Amino acid sequence: MLTTQTSSTTDSMQAPEVYQGQFGTFTITDADRRSVIIYRAGLICSAMSFALGVGLVLWLGNQPFVLQALTPLYVCFCLGLGISLLTIHIYLAVLHRVLQLFWLVGAVAALAIAISSPQPLALVVYQHPSTLLGLGFTFAALTGITFKEAFCFNRPETKLLTPLIPMLVLGHLTRLFSPSVEQVLLASCAVLLLIVALRKLVQPIPPDIGDKSVFAYLQSQRQPSCH
């Protein structure tokens, strides 16, 4: 919980605000607010692209033009996720870098599959589940975001989405689920991710920034002391 020590009575995007944190006071600046706005924009881009792609598949099936449309939608999903991972506020720097690495591995794998196969990306992934050994890292990164949101804000949609994403990926990878079950999981993930992103749009900005005194404290612990 952030406690405001002083705040401006003018537009919140024009003056810094000082808060009392666990390890001292800290200031939320315009740059901090912009990073949250960019994080949320990336998240809504990913959620809308994912939901649109799933909606097309469930409504129109695997028609050729649908399969072709899924590739640019996946690119938008992946780019939005990457933007969010650049600007997300996570206390543990190592975890932040790991999630970014997961995204990079998944993005490179998807690009390699798209370049090497004459078939649409979605069709290749559906027919060859082993491709998720690479591309699935993107969804591992997404799971990291939903876990962070669930841990920080205790919202039901993030608590449901966090296990559903790996369940869907691992279920397809191992051919555990029937197509009808996968469709239900896909639809559930799409709806929940959209709810997560839309609720972020109306959430106050400071909670997404977190306690910057914790960031400062952790950074000081990583730096060698001089004697």
Side-chain angles (χ1 to χ4, degrees):
M1 182 69 67
L2 299 180
T3 303
T4 308
Q5 192 175 67
T6 62
S7 62
S8 173
T9 57
T10 58
D11 188 348
S12 61
M13 291 297 288
Q14 295 178 356
E17 297 181 47
V18 180
Y19 291 82
Q20 179 62 49
Q22 184 177 353
F23 297 99
T25 60
F26 63 91
T27 302
I28 291 181
T29 65
D30 283 354
D32 295 323
R33 297 185 186 94
R34 280 193 295 270
S35 69
V36 172
I37 292 171
I38 293 171
Y39 164 68
R40 294 177 181 182
L43 201 58
I44 196 70
C45 176
S46 290
M48 293 184 69
S49 301
F50 188 78
L52 182 56
V54 171
L56 284 174
V57 170
L58 297 182
W59 182 32
L60 300 174
N62 59 347
Q63 297 184 40
F65 76 92
V66 172
L67 295 175
Q68 293 292 341
L70 291 179
T71 298
L73 284 173
Y74 184 79
V75 171
C76 292
F77 162 79
C78 200
L79 287 176
L81 186 62
I83 290 170
S84 292
L85 285 169
L86 281 175
T87 52
I88 190 173
H89 290 255
I90 297 178
Y91 290 133
L92 296 178
V94 173
L95 177 58
H96 193 178
R97 295 293 177 263
V98 167
L99 294 181
Q100 290 175 334
L101 179 61
F102 281 0
W103 176 87
L104 181 61
V105 171
V108 170
L111 180 62
I113 295 168
I115 291 175
S116 62
S117 175
Q119 295 179 316
L121 177 64
L123 185 61
V124 176
V125 174
Y126 181 76
Q127 293 180 340
H128 305 280
S130 60
T131 53
L132 288 173
L133 291 172
L135 188 145
F137 277 91
T138 299
F139 294 94
L142 176 60
T143 303
I145 290 180
T146 61
F147 176 80
K148 179 261 183 187
E149 291 289 336
F151 181 82
C152 292
F153 302 109
N154 198 31
R155 288 177 175 166
E157 62 271 16
T158 53
K159 290 182 177 180
L160 288 171
L161 191 56
T162 298
L164 278 181
I165 297 171
M167 186 184 302
L168 175 61
V169 172
L170 292 175
H172 185 65
L173 178 62
T174 59
R175 299 182 185 273
L176 180 63
F177 301 133
S178 65
S180 59
V181 172
E182 288 189 351
Q183 288 178 356
V184 171
L185 290 174
L186 268 174
S188 300
C189 288
V191 170
L192 289 170
L193 184 57
L194 202 55
I195 292 173
V196 171
L198 291 175
R199 288 193 69 180
K200 297 302 291 182
L201 293 181
V202 297
Q203 178 182 325
I205 285 179
D208 257 346
I209 298 170
D211 186 345
K212 289 176 66 178
S213 72
V214 175
F215 287 101
Y217 173 77
L218 292 175
Q219 185 176 10
S220 68
Q221 294 300 300
R222 290 193 298 268
Q223 294 174 347
S225 57
C226 298
H227 298 287

